[in-house]
Amino acid sequence: MDAEAFATDATAQARTNLVTAAALRDRHTEVRNRFERVQANQQTTQKQQQQRDQEITRLERARIERDRLVPIAGRLADLNRDVLTAEGERNRSRRKTELERERSGQATTRTETVNKLASEVQSLASENADPQWTWSDADASAVPIAIERLKQVATAHPVNHAEHRHTSLIAARAASEQATLARTNLDKYLTAQNGLLAEQKAVLSDGDPTSMLATIAESSTQIRQAMTAWETERKSLELDLGKRTRVLTNIRNSNFDDGCPTCGRKFSEHDEHDVLELFAADIDSIHTRIREGDQRGQELGIQRKALEQEREKQTERQLLQKKIEDRLARSVGFIEEQRLTVANLDTQAATSLEAARVDAVPTENDIKTAARKLGLARLLRETMSRIRIYASTIASLDIARQQLDTDLTLLDDVAFDEHEFASLVSSRDAATTAATQIDGFDRELLQLPIAIEDREKLAASMSGIEKQIADIKQELFDVGFDPELLQVAERNVTDAEQTERAALRAHQQAQLNHQKVVSARQSIEREHNRIRSIVLRADSRQRESDELTQMYNLFGEFEQFVVSRLTPALSEMTSDLVRQVTDGKYDDVSFDDNFGVLVRDGDELPFPLATFSGGERDAIALCARLALSQMIGLQAAEQPGFLVLDEVFGSLDRDRRSRLLELFGNLSAISEGFQQVFIISHVDDVRTAPIFDELWMIEEGEDGKSSLSNLAPGTDIGEL
């Protein structure tokens, strides 16, 4: 027999033993339950017996207490009648006390009210010079007469008249002060206008700056043309110098067999010497012309710088003149308007004086006197309002006092003893309580016979319950159930079932383990290949990350270097170029941390480049790029030497294009990095500008091909 079959038979035997033990347990449980129910019934009956014994004892005590309370309750009718009579007398006594307290309170209130009224009157006695405004002890007894006297004093000081007088004086003084202030401002305007005229005369004392600027511009153009002509001539001389130098070198190094290489004529003894001297003299002459021309160029440069300084000076004078003229033009309107204001305010001041019925401007003392009179009138009006309230209160108190005296006269015969009344009420309450308790005892004593009968029935029932308990105990003994045997049977069944299930699982697990081993080996091989691929990719990404981090750090350090070291120099270079291009209109350009362009207009705060017009924005941006190119060239080990500009004049007007072209013509003098400037443009006046050394034109032929041709500098538009 194998392990699986043996485990199945053992399980069947254990289940049979368990069924037998369970049957005994069920029989024992049924008998035990009946025993517990009978036992619970016994306990309930015992509690009921105890309750009945306690109830009978309590009722016996109640019957004894009832007999004690009967004499006390018999006096209740007489006591009720006596208490009712005493309560009526007590109410009359309380009413008398309340009336006396009320009369005393009214007397106190009247005294306080009279004192307040007297205080109100006396508080204004120092302000009011009228002898009728006073209060005496006699007035306290004749309040209506005193009130009438005070009312006549207050009527003599009307508030409306005092307010009109005070307001008209203030208005007259204010109108006069405004007129005086307006005349003072007019004098200031006239003084300022005379000062502007003097400034204008001083500015024009050295000549008209506008005419002088025109003369300076013409001279600058002549100097620029002369410098351009000399540069052209110098290049031609350098070409001639190179040709003659090469010819002279060739002659010295050549052997012509005593014959001319051109005509074949025989050289004489002095021919070679004469030719060499002739070429040497030409070369010396060219050197002399170049030196003299360079000296003239330097002198022209000095003259040009002087003209530029003079132009800046005259520009400042021109701006100052324009500013003075604008202020003078505005001052005329201000002065005329101020004169009209003075005339109007003088009229208003005269009208205000007439309304105030005064001939001269009211003084501060006049206004203070009117203010004191107005304050007195207002105080009298407010005080009389409160005095009327006090008088009304006093009259009401006097009427109430008369009524209280009448009511107290009717209560003079009151006689009431509070202690005697309290003793009477206490006796009445005790009799009432006794009668109430007797009624309750009578209702409870009706239950005494019933309680005695119930106690006898419970004693008989207890005897039967005790007999049932003895019979059930014998039945439990006969069943003979042992709980430990049932537990042993249950454990045997559980162990047998577990053994059977374990045998089945072991067989199934062996099959599954084989399949898992095969699958796990395949998974391990795939995971090994995947991890190896991830490791290779991770190594590659780490190298890339290290390189990017290094580049990021380098660029960050470079950006900090540029911001801290190069931005001020870049701003200065850009400002100088913008000043030349805008003819001094803008001369302060800076850059923010993101290299955004900021332009300052005069003394105002800097504005972003985006807020300017299209032409100004393009011109300033071009200057910034030129300054940046110049700075890059200065920082380079070998400067580039040339600059290329492609279509940079599209949005600029003619004047700004002219100044830019003039700036490009001078770039070689500004920086060694801009010795050559290439400009690509479709604008006609740009192509014909005199600054160019060479001019090239690209044309598209009829066959669609483009051709390149060289034109003479300064070619007219019509010729193109």
Side-chain angles (χ1 to χ4, degrees):
M1 180 179 296
D2 56 9
E4 183 178 353
F6 180 78
T8 300
D9 293 342
T11 300
Q13 182 60 41
R15 287 174 179 169
T16 301
N17 296 335
L18 178 60
V19 170
T20 303
L24 290 176
R25 179 200 59 197
D26 294 341
R27 173 61 179 163
H28 176 80
T29 301
E30 187 272 331
V31 176
R32 183 67 183 176
N33 290 339
R34 282 194 291 113
F35 176 77
E36 291 176 353
R37 288 195 298 271
V38 174
Q39 195 173 37
N41 191 18
Q42 182 186 29
Q43 295 175 356
T44 301
T45 303
Q46 289 176 349
K47 290 180 180 180
Q48 290 175 351
Q49 284 181 325
Q50 294 174 358
Q51 292 173 356
R52 291 298 180 271
D53 292 339
Q54 294 173 358
E55 180 70 12
I56 291 170
T57 301
R58 185 184 65 80
L59 290 175
E60 291 292 343
R61 293 175 180 173
R63 183 166 55 185
I64 295 172
E65 181 65 18
R66 180 186 181 281
D67 294 340
R68 186 186 67 80
L69 294 174
V70 169
I72 297 174
R75 300 177 55 225
L76 180 59
D78 295 338
L79 290 172
N80 282 332
R81 183 176 60 255
D82 295 341
V83 168
L84 183 60
T85 301
E87 285 178 347
E89 201 65 19
R90 181 191 62 179
N91 292 336
R92 294 179 75 240
S93 176
R94 289 180 177 177
R95 176 60 178 166
K96 181 179 179 180
T97 302
E98 291 174 357
L99 292 176
E100 290 174 346
R101 186 183 300 112
E102 185 176 356
R103 183 174 62 180
S104 176
Q106 287 181 352
T108 302
T109 302
R110 188 182 189 282
T111 302
E112 292 175 352
T113 305
V114 171
N115 292 336
K116 290 179 180 178
L117 193 153
S119 177
E120 290 283 354
V121 175
Q122 293 169 1
S123 65
L124 291 181
S126 60
E127 300 287 341
N128 193 350
D130 195 323
Q132 296 297 322
W133 186 267
T134 184
W135 188 267
S136 63
D137 294 338
D139 291 332
S141 302
V143 173
I145 298 174
I147 295 299
E148 188 63 28
R149 184 185 74 246
L150 296 173
K151 186 185 300 183
Q152 292 176 359
V153 175
T155 305
H157 298 80
V159 175
N160 294 337
H161 177 73
E163 286 179 345
H164 180 267
R165 174 67 176 172
H166 181 254
T167 303
S168 61
L169 289 177
I170 292 176
R173 182 176 176 83
S176 300
E177 290 177 348
Q178 289 179 356
T180 302
L181 179 61
R183 285 192 294 273
T184 302
N185 290 335
L186 178 59
D187 294 338
K188 291 181 180 179
Y189 290 163
L190 293 173
T191 302
Q193 187 183 49
N194 293 331
L196 290 174
L197 291 173
E199 289 183 15
Q200 185 183 42
K201 183 178 179 180
V203 170
L204 296 177
S205 62
D206 295 334
D208 184 10
T210 302
S211 300
M212 298 180 72
L213 284 173
T215 303
I216 292 171
E218 182 178 357
S219 300
S220 297
T221 302
Q222 293 174 357
I223 292 174
R224 183 173 65 253
Q225 292 175 351
M227 293 178 70
T228 302
W230 164 242
E231 290 293 334
T232 303
E233 182 181 357
R234 192 178 194 283
K235 290 181 180 179
S236 177
L237 289 173
E238 288 177 346
L239 291 175
D240 291 344
L241 180 63
K243 291 178 181 179
R244 282 165 173 71
T245 301
R246 287 193 297 274
V247 170
L248 180 61
T249 302
N250 290 335
I251 291 174
R252 288 174 175 172
N253 297 331
S254 300
N255 183 10
F256 300 109
D257 297 329
D258 298 327
C260 178
T262 303
C263 60
R265 184 178 62 84
K266 295 294 184 179
F267 281 132
S268 65
E269 180 180 356
H270 301 289
D271 284 344
E272 181 179 355
H273 181 267
D274 294 339
V275 170
L276 291 174
E277 286 185 350
L278 179 61
F279 275 99
D282 287 343
I283 290 173
D284 291 340
S285 176
I286 292 173
H287 278 300
T288 301
R289 292 174 62 186
I290 290 175
R291 284 195 301 273
E292 292 175 351
D294 288 342
Q295 185 176 1
R296 289 198 305 274
Q298 292 177 357
E299 293 175 353
L300 290 173
I302 295 173
Q303 294 176 9
R304 184 175 180 180
K305 290 182 179 179
L307 286 174
E308 181 62 27
Q309 294 176 354
E310 183 65 21
R311 184 187 68 80
E312 293 178 355
K313 177 181 177 181
Q314 297 303 325
T315 300
E316 292 178 357
R317 292 180 63 239
Q318 185 184 42
L319 292 175
L320 179 59
Q321 179 188 5
K322 181 65 171 58
K323 183 177 180 180
I324 293 173
E325 291 175 351
D326 292 342
R327 293 179 63 187
L328 282 172
R330 291 196 299 270
S331 68
V332 174
F334 290 159
I335 291 173
E336 291 302 323
E337 182 180 356
Q338 190 64 21
R339 283 174 176 161
L340 291 176
T341 302
V342 169
N344 291 333
L345 291 177
D346 286 341
T347 302
Q348 293 177 9
T351 302
S352 299
L353 291 174
E354 183 179 356
R357 297 180 180 180
V358 293
D359 297 331
V361 178
T363 64
E364 189 68 27
N365 289 332
D366 295 337
I367 295 176
K368 289 181 179 179
T369 301
R372 285 196 298 271
K373 291 181 179 180
L374 175 59
L376 176 59
R378 287 174 176 171
L379 287 174
L380 286 173
R381 182 177 62 183
E382 296 173 358
T383 303
M384 282 306 302
S385 176
R386 292 191 292 273
I387 287 174
R388 291 188 185 95
I389 295 174
Y390 294 147
S392 176
T393 302
I394 293 170
S396 299
L397 291 172
D398 290 342
I399 294 172
R401 173 64 180 269
Q402 294 174 1
Q403 182 63 41
L404 288 173
D405 292 342
T406 301
D407 293 341
L408 286 171
T409 301
L410 299 176
L411 297 174
D412 286 341
D413 59 343
V414 172
F416 174 74
D417 187 347
E418 186 69 32
H419 296 290
E420 182 179 349
F421 176 75
S423 176
L424 186 61
V425 170
S426 177
S427 300
R428 191 272 313 270
D429 293 341
T432 301
T433 302
T436 302
Q437 291 178 345
I438 288 172
D439 292 338
F441 289 152
D442 290 341
R443 289 191 299 271
E444 291 179 353
L445 289 173
L446 294 176
Q447 301 297 323
L448 182 58
I450 298 174
I452 294 173
E453 183 180 358
D454 289 343
R455 183 176 60 180
E456 294 175 353
K457 290 180 179 179
L458 289 172
S461 177
M462 180 60 71
S463 299
I465 291 172
E466 291 176 352
K467 183 177 183 308
Q468 290 180 0
I469 290 175
D471 295 341
I472 292 173
K473 287 182 178 180
Q474 183 61 41
E475 187 174 358
L476 285 173
F477 179 77
D478 295 339
V479 170
F481 171 70
D482 187 357
E484 293 183 358
L485 294 178
L486 178 61
Q487 293 176 0
V488 171
E490 290 174 347
R491 285 196 298 271
N492 291 337
V493 170
T494 301
D495 294 341
E497 290 175 348
Q498 291 177 352
T499 302
E500 182 179 9
R501 286 194 297 270
L504 292 173
R505 285 196 299 270
H507 178 70
Q508 295 172 355
Q509 189 63 37
Q511 294 177 343
L512 291 174
N513 289 340
H514 176 72
Q515 296 175 357
K516 288 181 180 179
V517 168
V518 174
S519 177
R521 179 179 179 182
Q522 296 174 352
S523 298
I524 290 171
E525 292 176 351
R526 288 194 299 271
E527 186 66 14
H528 175 73
N529 294 332
R530 186 182 68 82
I531 291 174
R532 182 178 181 183
S533 175
I534 291 174
V535 169
L536 294 176
R537 288 199 303 271
D539 292 341
S540 176
R541 296 290 174 83
Q542 183 62 43
R543 289 192 298 273
E544 294 177 359
S545 175
D546 294 340
E547 293 174 356
L548 290 175
T549 300
Q550 184 178 6
M551 291 175 64
Y552 177 79
N553 294 333
L554 291 174
F555 279 119
E557 295 174 358
F558 175 73
E559 181 179 357
Q560 294 176 0
F561 170 78
V562 169
V563 171
S564 61
R565 301 293 181 85
L566 302 184
T567 299
L570 180 60
S571 299
E572 183 177 356
M573 292 181 181
T574 305
S575 299
D576 183 62
L577 295 175
V578 170
R579 179 183 57 77
Q580 297 181 48
V581 171
T582 62
D583 197 18
K585 182 177 180 182
Y586 305 112
D587 59 358
D588 188 353
V589 180
S590 58
F591 296 87
D592 57 21
D593 294 341
N594 295 322
F595 287 94
V597 181
L598 302 174
V599 183
R600 187 183 298 277
D601 188 359
D603 295 334
E604 298 181 359
L605 295 175
F607 295 94
L609 184 59
T611 61
F612 288 81
S613 63
E616 292 179 336
R617 184 169 60 249
D618 291 346
I620 295 172
L622 178 58
C623 291
R625 290 197 296 272
L626 289 174
L628 181 61
S629 300
Q630 182 179 354
M631 181 172 291
I632 293 174
L634 293 174
Q635 298 296 325
E638 295 184 4
Q639 299 190 22
F642 66 90
L643 178 68
V644 179
L645 302 170
D646 186 7
E647 297 294 352
V648 297
F649 302 99
S651 61
L652 305 180
D653 55 29
R654 179 181 293 273
D655 292 339
R656 192 166 282 120
R657 286 199 299 271
S658 298
R659 286 192 288 271
L660 273 177
L661 289 170
E662 182 181 352
L663 174 63
F664 295 153
N666 298 330
L667 284 178
S668 60
I670 296 175
S671 174
E672 296 180 358
F674 297 150
Q675 294 301 309
Q676 288 182 311
V677 180
F678 298 89
I679 298 177
I680 303 172
S681 177
H682 290 82
V683 182
D684 292 335
D685 58 345
V686 173
R687 294 181 296 182
T688 59
I691 68 167
F692 296 108
D693 297 328
E694 294 187 15
L695 182 65
W696 295 82
M697 182 172 65
I698 300 176
E699 292 182 307
E700 184 178 359
E702 295 180 355
D703 57 355
K705 296 181 180 179
S706 298
S707 61
L708 181 66
S709 58
N710 190 332
L711 304 176
T715 301
D716 187 73
I717 296 176
E719 299 178 7
L720 297 178

